[in-house]
């Protein structure tokens, strides 16, 4: 199966869609690539489908590793979790000190930390690399988020830079930080992706049920939006989805898709980590809940017969303005969603001392990845101008925009709520913004309650030096 005479400069393990696409992308850029898969027929398939790219395929792992120039650079694109550990165990006896293992799957960042430490002990380098952009991105230019030791990154940098997407703001790859920083950032990317997708789903729902727009009409409306500030890859994808017709029935294919959302787990991880770090990410959590609730289709159908909502009846102002309110709300809520994700990355970077640059993350997300969007440009500028910005919402670039769009957002939510159409991410995002901008929150009552029933103590505003005190509330 091997077709190259000189040793390969890069090895890819895992010839699934993503691994094969990355291997072909690397070969396109003039690197000699060796590939391996536990099912040799997958190697043959990729080679036969791509006769022009000289991928050297090895059915035996030993021969694959022996066919790599040193230091060996082996990228794993396999199922995250135990398979990565098993693969590493198989590779260890075949590798030499100084070789680099890269895990490019959606791995849990603490696994990445552990694997890096293990490799270090054995004299190998380890990089945990977030890769975004799906099959198309992997093949033609993904956004790449590598984490791990900088000297290891230097050994693979030319290859990663050659294959990464390019935007007007440069190459969509940079060294994110040490340890699991790359996988952490990729995980948060996916969390933002969940929220952004759900915002689009809610917009679609309110407009179809509120205004009675057909799927194709919505595609046309979204297409106009995509020419302005709301431009994004996910909006563009949504338009394509809305315009696709089912070849069998001629109906919009979207109308035939069952409304039960799946997930692979990165959104859930984002929310779990956010809880651990004490960082509120309600937009992402609501998007996750929306997927979870959607999965209970049978219960929902049964409940719809018992719990009746209001009849959708819009005023003439609502009919006229709803689409514009939706547009403004979508942009503003999206800003809030990205703000939460960025805040979470900052918190992890502080906790683990990773030194992640939020401006750089926004820059490498500008092309290739699923959440690439026009708003990432002002977002990057905001963090560039003020790297210690506590939250994007208070940046000079976004605070005035949010203030300007908030009235439309409130009207959009009001209309949806009055009509009984669920808008969980739009509402939780607005509640986040309203809470964040509130100098006074009702948690004085929470503290008093805690102290009343559990003697958990509280602080007095009028005696800041008194520390935590207790009162006998119930007598
Ligand atoms: C990407 C995507 C990719 C994938 C996720 C999310 O950046 O290319 O985020 O990683 O779409 O696996 O999948 P789920 O929606 O199934 O969790």
């Amino acid at each position: 199966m091997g077709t190259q005479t000189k040793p390969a400069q890069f090895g890819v393990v895992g010839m699934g869609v993503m691994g094969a696409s990355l291997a072909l992308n690397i070969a396109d850029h003039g690197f000699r690539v060796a590939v391996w898969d536990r099912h040799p027929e997958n190697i043959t398939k990729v080679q036969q489908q791509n006769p022009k790219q000289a991928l050297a395929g090895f059915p035996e792992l030993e021969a694959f590793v022996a066919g790599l120039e040193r230091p060996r650079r082996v990228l794993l694109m396999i199922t995250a979790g135990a398979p990565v550990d098993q693969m590493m165990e198989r590779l260890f006896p075949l590798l030499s000190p100084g070789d680099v293992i890269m895990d490019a799957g959606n791995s849990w960042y603490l696994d990445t930390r552990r694997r890096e430490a293990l490799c270090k002990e054995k004299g190998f380098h380890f990089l945990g690399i977030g890769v975004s952009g799906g099959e198309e991105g992997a093949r033609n230019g993904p956004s790449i988020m590598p984490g791990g030791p900088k000297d290891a990154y230097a050994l693979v940098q030319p290859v990663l830079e050659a294959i990464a997407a390019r935007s007007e703001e440069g190459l969509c790859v940079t060294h994110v930080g040490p340890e699991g920083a790359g996988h952490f950032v990729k995980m948060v990317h996916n969390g933002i992706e969940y929220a952004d997708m759900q915002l689009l789903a809610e917009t679609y729902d309110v407009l179809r049920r509120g205004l009675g727009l057909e799927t194709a009409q919505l595609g046309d409306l979204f297409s106009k939006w995509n020419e302005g500030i709301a431009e994004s890859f996910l909006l563009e994808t949504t338009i394509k989805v809305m315009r696709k017709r089912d070849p069998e029935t001629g109906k919009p294919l979207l109308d035939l898709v069952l409304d039960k959302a799946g997930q692979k787990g990165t959104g859930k991880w984002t929310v779990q980590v956010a809880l651990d770090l004490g960082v509120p990410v309600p937009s992402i959590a609501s998007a996750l809940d929306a997927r979870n609730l959607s999965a209970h289709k049978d219960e929902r159908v049964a409940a719809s017969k018992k719990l009746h909502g209001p009849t959708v009846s819009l005023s003439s102002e609502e009919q006229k303005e709803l689409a514009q309110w939706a547009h403004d709300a979508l942009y503003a809520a999206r800003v809030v969603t990205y703000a939460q994700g960025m805040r979470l990355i900052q918190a992890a970077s502080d906790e683990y001392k990773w030194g992640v640059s939020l401006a750089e993350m926004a820059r490498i997300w500008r092309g290739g990845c699923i959440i690439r969007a026009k708003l990432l440009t002002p977002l990057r500028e905001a963090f560039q101008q003020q790297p210690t910005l506590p939250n994007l919402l208070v940046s000079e670039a976004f605070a005035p925009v949010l203030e300007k769009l908030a009235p439309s957002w409130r009207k959009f939510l009001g209309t949806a709520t009055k009509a009984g159409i669920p808008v969980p991410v739009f509402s939780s995002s607005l509640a986040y913004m309203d809470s964040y901008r509130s100098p006074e929150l009702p948690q004085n009552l929470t503290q008093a309650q805690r102290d009343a029933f559990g003697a958990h103590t509280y602080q007095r505003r009028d005696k800041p030096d008194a520390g935590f005190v207790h009162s006998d509330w119930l007598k």
Side-chain angles (χ1 to χ4, degrees), residues 108-158:
W108 172 236
Y109 79 106
L110 293 178
D111 282 343
T112 305
R113 279 184 100 197
R114 172 177 58 76
R115 289 172 185 144
E116 191 202 313
L118 179 69
C119 282
K120 201 172 169 189
E121 253 172 55
K122 294 180 182 290
F124 308 128
H125 296 294
F126 185 82
L127 292 165
I129 305 185
V131 177
S132 177
E135 181 183 354
E136 152 69 20
R139 182 69 187 85
N140 298 313
S143 170
I144 310 179
M145 295 150 249
K150 217 163 185 180
D151 50 346
Y153 176 63
L155 295 170
V156 299
Q157 190 173 354

Side-chain angles (χ1 to χ4, degrees), residues 203 206-207 210-211 213 221 225 314-330 405 407-413 415-416:
T203 309
V206 173
L207 294 181
L211 296 180
L213 293 181
L221 178 67
W225 292 4
L314 267 53
S315 69
S316 53
E317 190 207 8
E318 285 171 326
Q319 282 179 15
K320 199 165 140 263
E321 302 293 342
L322 190 61
Q324 184 59 42
W325 295 342
H327 169 274
D328 295 354
L330 176 66
L405 300 181
S408 298
W409 189 356
R410 294 182 197 283
K411 286 182 192 156
F412 174 75
L413 270 183
T415 304

